[in-house]
Amino acid sequence: MLNETNAQCPVARALEVLGDRWALMILRDAFDGLRRFSEFQKNLGLAKNILASRLKLLVESGLLQLQPASDGSAYKEYVLTEKGRSVFPLVIALRQWGERFLFEAGEARSALLEQATGQAIAPLQVRTEDGRVLRPEDCQRRLVRHG
Amino acid sequence: MLNETNAQCPVARALEVLGDRWALMILRDAFDGLRRFSEFQKNLGLAKNILASRLKLLVESGLLQLQPASDGSAYKEYVLTEKGRSVFPLVIALRQWGERFLFEAGEARSALLEQATGQAIAPLQVRTEDGRVLRPEDCQRRLVRHG
DNA sequence: CCGTATCCATTCCGATACTG
DNA sequence: CAGTATCGGAATGGATACGG
C-alpha cells in the first residue's frame, strides 16, 4: 500500500498495522478486558483461523503479548502491551465519532458515553502545546510531510 | 463484518466507514489540503477506479462533498464536510501513535510534530469531563457495550 | 480449549483501455 | 482532467476438519 512518499508518513505507517479490518476491533475488545482466544472469537464472530492470524500479527507488531492465564489454567492470554495500550486515544476517537454521527436520535445515545467509572468522557480535542484548540484548517499542508 | 452484538457498538460502526484500506489515507490528504481527483491519485498512488469508488463512498457517507473548483476550472473538488472534519482527532491520534512507535531513532522524529503553525501538537489524552486523565485500565468492560 | 491446515467463495486491487 | 468498464491475480474471509 505504501509508496515512497507515504512510507515516511506516520499516519500511513500506523494504518499498515491498525488499518486492518479486524485489528482495531480486537484492540477494542482488549480494552474491554477480553484476553482469551475464545472470548475474542465469541464476541467478534469471526473464523478461528482469521482470528489466529490477526492475533499473531498483533503479537508480532508488539501490541499484544502472550501471558500465562491469570486463572491458573494451562492456556495463554493476550494482554495489551504499552504500545497496545497507547492505541487507547485512537479507539476513543473512533468511538466518539461513531456516537456522534452514526447513531439516530432514537438509539439511546445518552448512555453511550457512560463508563465503568460512571464518569463521562470529554470529547477529544487536538491542542497545541500552549493549550490552544487546533482545527483542521489551521494546519493544512503540514499534517503529513516532513520538510 | 458486524454481528448483532457489534452492530450497536459505535467503534464497530465507525470502522465500517473508516476501517477501509484507503478511507483514512484519503481523509489525511484532505486534511493536508488536497481536493482534486488527480492530486489524491498522485499522492496515494492507487488505481483510478479504486480511488473513484472510495471517493464515491466517502461522499455517500457524508464525509466529503463535491464542489465547483475553486480555481474557476470546469471540474469539481472534494472537500471535507463537518462530519469529515470531525475525523481530525482520529487522524492525529494515528499520527502520534505512528510517530511514537513506528519510527527509529535515526529517522528525524523531532521534525514530525511541527505544524504549519510552527506550533507542536500536544499528545492527545483521554479525559473525563471533570478533567482527570482516563487510562485504559480505568474503564474495562464498559468501552463498548451499553447496558 | 486453543489453535493449525485445507479448501472454496468472495472481495479487493492494479493495470489497462476507453469516454466525455 | 475526471472518471468508467473490464479483466485477472492476489488477498481475505468463512466453514470445516483435525491435532496438541
Side-chain angles (χ1 to χ4, degrees):
Chain A
M1 181 173 125
L2 292 186
N3 56 24
E4 326 72 52
T5 312
N6 288 310
Q8 292 308 318
C9 170
V11 179
R13 287 197 189 184
L15 286 173
E16 286 283 297
V17 181
L18 301 173
D20 172 80
R21 196 181 210 79
W22 291 113
L24 284 167
M25 291 287 280
I26 293 171
L27 291 176
R28 177 206 66 173
D29 280 2
F31 285 122
D32 258 18
L34 270 53
R35 298 175 160 218
R36 298 279 288 258
F37 188 94
S38 59
E39 294 178 316
F40 289 111
Q41 206 215 340
K42 180 178 177 187
N43 193 50
L44 295 172
L46 81 175
K48 285 193 292 182
N49 50 355
I50 305 297
L51 177 59
S53 78
R54 301 303 140 170
L55 286 173
K56 186 176 292 185
L57 273 176
L58 289 171
V59 169
E60 287 170 0
S61 304
L63 306 194
L64 294 178
Q65 187 176 4
L66 271 172
Q67 273 187 1
S70 52
D71 63 359
S73 68
Y75 305 107
K76 299 288 182 62
E77 290 182 345
Y78 295 88
V79 301
L80 291 159
T81 62
E82 163 68 12
K83 185 172 177 180
R85 284 193 298 276
S86 300
V87 180
F88 190 55
L90 181 50
V91 174
I92 294 299
L94 271 173
R95 184 175 194 252
Q96 293 183 341
W97 189 83
E99 286 166 359
R100 178 167 168 199
F101 292 104
L102 269 22
F103 281 78
E104 303 299 329
E107 293 192 80
R109 191 183 314 173
S110 63
L112 294 177
L113 270 173
E114 303 304 318
Q115 298 298 309
T117 61
Q119 176 63 46
I121 298 181
L124 278 175
Q125 281 185 325
V126 180
R127 292 178 182 273
T128 59
E129 291 209 330
D130 60 5
R132 299 191 335 270
V133 173
L134 196 65
R135 306 176 15 90
E137 314 79 275
D138 300 330
C139 45
Q140 285 196 2
R141 305 242 165 237
R142 290 293 156 180
L143 194 61
V144 180
R145 297 170 192 77
H146 293 189
Chain B
M1 181 175 128
L2 292 186
N3 57 24
E4 325 74 51
T5 312
N6 288 310
Q8 292 308 316
C9 171
V11 179
R13 286 198 190 183
L15 286 173
E16 285 284 296
V17 181
L18 301 173
D20 173 80
R21 195 187 206 79
W22 292 112
L24 284 167
M25 291 287 281
I26 293 172
L27 292 176
R28 177 206 64 172
D29 281 0
F31 285 121
D32 258 17
L34 270 53
R35 298 174 162 220
R36 299 278 290 256
F37 189 93
S38 59
E39 295 178 315
F40 289 110
Q41 206 217 340
K42 179 178 178 189
N43 193 50
L44 294 173
L46 80 177
K48 284 193 293 183
N49 50 356
I50 305 296
L51 177 59
S53 78
R54 301 301 141 173
L55 286 173
K56 187 176 293 184
L57 273 177
L58 288 171
V59 169
E60 287 171 0
S61 306
L63 306 194
L64 294 177
Q65 188 176 5
L66 271 172
Q67 273 188 3
S70 53
D71 63 359
S73 68
Y75 305 106
K76 300 288 182 62
E77 291 180 344
Y78 296 87
V79 300
L80 290 159
T81 62
E82 164 67 11
K83 186 173 176 178
R85 284 192 299 274
S86 300
V87 180
F88 190 54
L90 181 49
V91 174
I92 295 299
L94 271 173
R95 183 175 194 253
Q96 292 183 343
W97 189 84
E99 286 166 359
R100 180 168 166 198
F101 292 103
L102 270 22
F103 281 78
E104 303 298 330
E107 293 192 79
R109 190 182 314 172
S110 64
L112 295 176
L113 270 171
E114 303 303 319
Q115 298 298 310
T117 61
Q119 177 63 44
I121 298 181
L124 279 176
Q125 281 185 323
V126 180
R127 292 178 182 272
T128 59
E129 291 208 330
D130 59 6
R132 299 192 334 272
V133 173
L134 196 65
R135 304 169 24 83
E137 313 80 273
D138 300 331
C139 46
Q140 286 197 1
R141 306 242 167 238
R142 290 292 157 182
L143 194 62
V144 180
R145 299 170 192 76
H146 293 189

